[in-house]
Amino acid sequence: MDTCRIPENASKCSGNTMECFKVLSTQAQKISIGILCGLFGTMCVFENSLVLYLIFSSPGIRKKPSYLFIGSLALADILASIIFVCSFLNFHVFNEAGFSKEVFLLQLGGVNTSFSASLSSLLLTALDRYISISRPSEYKLLMTRKRAWTALGVLWVSCATIASLPLLGWNCCVLDSACSELFPFVDDNYLSGWICFIVVLLGCIIYAYAHVLWRARQHVAYMEKHQAQAGKQNTRMRMDVMLAKTLVMVLAVLTLCWSPVLVLMVYSLFARLSDRLRKAFAFCSTLCLLNSMVNPIIYALRSKELLSSLRRVFSHFRRQLKASEESPEAESTHRSSVLET
């Protein structure tokens, strides 16, 4: 017997529990969601792919742990965009009814893994800045490339494991517990645990950035007072302060984009959601894509190294384009001379 709890609109389900979660009732809503997902998803994949290329095509950049973490963030955002957009549009817009429980939980696990890895990558980046500013003299010894890769490995394995728990058996149709009103087959207890995991990550990031900003303000005051004597040390401090401010901007965007989703998730644990709130949740989910789309823009505007690398790529592209435009003319001239001969 199916132990899933049926949401308020059970009368519309006609015995199919998956239909209960298709909350977009009008064509205008489906078109709006489709446009948002298509725009945000396409831009997110393009921008984050560009960030990955800039990082790993520049030997000086890819050797730095800070940019390894940023590369992990970009990769997570790419995967999240592709998996989220495809599964979300198939389910809510194209009304694909062939989803089995296992297929849906596999897709949901992919989305959760990617978004959790994105947030966890921000945490590692925050910790990297925390160590760089709080213990600058020991930074290179503490934050090596080997430790950075190890941390990234632990990050991705942990996120994938947590996200796979519903597929491995912790779901409402196997355990005798209530289903979430927002996600098919998802146990409310698992959802509350995942929310706690995300809140802990956010709390750790906020704490790390609070310390980073406090130390950054100290560095700014020190630079203004000892600018003549500091030299290279001041230059490094300026870079740390700039990167810290950049990452705080990323965190602010992350919080603004994820707050509506998390608030509705928490609310669904304690009260039944109306159809209007469930539709609002569907639209708020696209804000997660917006966050993934905005992150690379912040890097390009704030990171001098990535911006310099981007300029080199554009310069190389312009030279190649100019050469390709000139080569047909040269080839045409050569052919004309041959015919005349």
Side-chain angles (χ1 to χ4, degrees):
M1 178 180 293
D2 191 359
T3 60
C4 297
R5 181 183 66 194
I6 307 300
E8 283 183 329
N9 59 343
S11 59
K12 304 176 183 178
C13 297
S14 301
N16 187 349
T17 57
M18 294 294 284
E19 293 295 330
C20 302
F21 298 88
K22 297 179 179 180
V23 297
L24 303 181
S25 56
T26 66
Q27 195 66 21
Q29 293 172 353
K30 295 179 181 180
I31 293 175
S32 300
I33 283 286
I35 292 175
L36 289 176
C37 288
L39 176 62
F40 293 164
T42 302
M43 292 298 297
C44 178
V45 171
F46 171 76
E47 292 171 0
N48 284 287
S49 297
L50 180 60
V51 169
L52 283 177
Y53 175 78
L54 294 177
I55 291 175
F56 290 100
S57 65
S58 304
I61 293 179
R62 68 170 178 259
K63 291 180 180 179
K64 298 182 179 181
S66 300
Y67 290 101
L68 290 179
F69 300 146
I70 292 176
S72 173
L73 174 63
L75 176 61
D77 286 337
I78 290 174
L79 294 177
S81 299
I82 295 174
I83 301 173
F84 176 84
V85 169
C86 292
S87 60
F88 192 84
L89 291 183
N90 281 337
F91 187 79
H92 286 290
V93 177
F94 302 117
N95 291 325
E96 291 290 338
F99 284 98
S100 65
K101 180 180 74 172
E102 290 75 17
V103 170
F104 181 84
L105 292 178
L106 179 62
Q107 292 179 348
L108 183 63
V111 174
N112 286 346
T113 298
S114 303
F115 280 128
S116 299
S118 176
L119 189 57
S120 300
S121 296
L122 277 177
L123 175 59
L124 288 182
T125 310
L127 295 176
D128 175 75
R129 290 299 90 201
Y130 177 91
I131 296 173
S132 176
I133 287 184
S134 63
R135 305 175 70 175
S137 60
E138 304 174 36
Y139 174 75
K140 290 186 178 181
L141 295 176
L142 294 174
M143 190 58 67
T144 62
R145 294 183 75 247
K146 182 178 180 180
R147 289 181 177 178
W149 281 111
T150 301
L152 289 175
V154 172
L155 178 158
W156 281 90
V157 170
S158 300
C159 291
T161 300
I162 294 173
S164 300
L165 291 178
L167 185 62
L168 296 176
W170 192 357
N171 54 70
C172 63
C173 295
V174 172
L175 303 179
D176 187 15
S177 57
C179 291
S180 169
E181 291 185 75
L182 296 174
F183 306 101
F185 309 119
V186 174
D187 188 287
D188 269 343
N189 293 324
Y190 170 79
L191 182 60
S192 61
W194 188 81
I195 293 173
C196 290
F197 172 63
I198 296 299
V199 170
V200 168
L201 287 179
L202 283 173
C204 292
I205 294 173
I206 292 173
Y207 173 81
Y209 279 135
H211 186 83
V212 164
L213 285 180
W214 176 65
R215 293 302 297 267
R217 293 189 64 181
Q218 288 185 326
H219 282 184
V220 170
Y222 177 84
M223 286 188 292
E224 291 176 351
K225 188 175 181 180
H226 302 88
Q227 191 169 8
Q229 299 96 327
K232 291 183 178 180
Q233 187 178 3
N234 271 344
T235 302
R236 181 178 178 181
M237 288 181 178
R238 288 192 186 96
M239 292 177 62
D240 288 340
V241 171
M242 179 66 71
L243 191 51
K245 291 180 179 179
T246 298
L247 298 176
V248 169
M249 291 174 61
V250 173
L251 178 61
V253 172
L254 177 78
T255 304
L256 290 174
C257 290
W258 275 83
S259 292
V261 172
L262 291 176
V263 168
L264 287 174
M265 284 184 183
V266 173
Y267 182 77
S268 71
L269 297 174
F270 300 99
R272 286 188 174 272
L273 298 177
S274 64
D275 287 345
R276 181 175 298 180
L277 285 178
R278 295 170 69 223
K279 290 177 183 179
F281 179 80
F283 279 91
C284 289
S285 298
T286 61
L287 291 177
C288 302
L289 284 178
L290 177 62
N291 169 71
S292 298
M293 185 187 75
V294 170
N295 284 342
I297 298 176
I298 298 177
Y299 302 147
L301 293 177
R302 303 287 296 181
S303 173
K304 292 183 178 180
E305 291 176 301
L306 283 181
L307 186 58
S308 177
S309 180
L310 181 61
R311 288 171 179 168
R312 287 196 300 269
V313 169
F314 281 151
S315 178
H316 179 69
F317 176 76
R318 283 197 300 266
R319 288 196 300 268
Q320 285 189 330
L321 186 61
K322 186 176 180 180
S324 64
E325 290 176 350
E326 293 176 353
S327 58
E329 297 177 1
E331 185 178 352
S332 176
T333 304
H334 176 70
R335 288 180 176 177
S336 298
S337 62
V338 171
L339 290 174
E340 291 174 358
T341 303

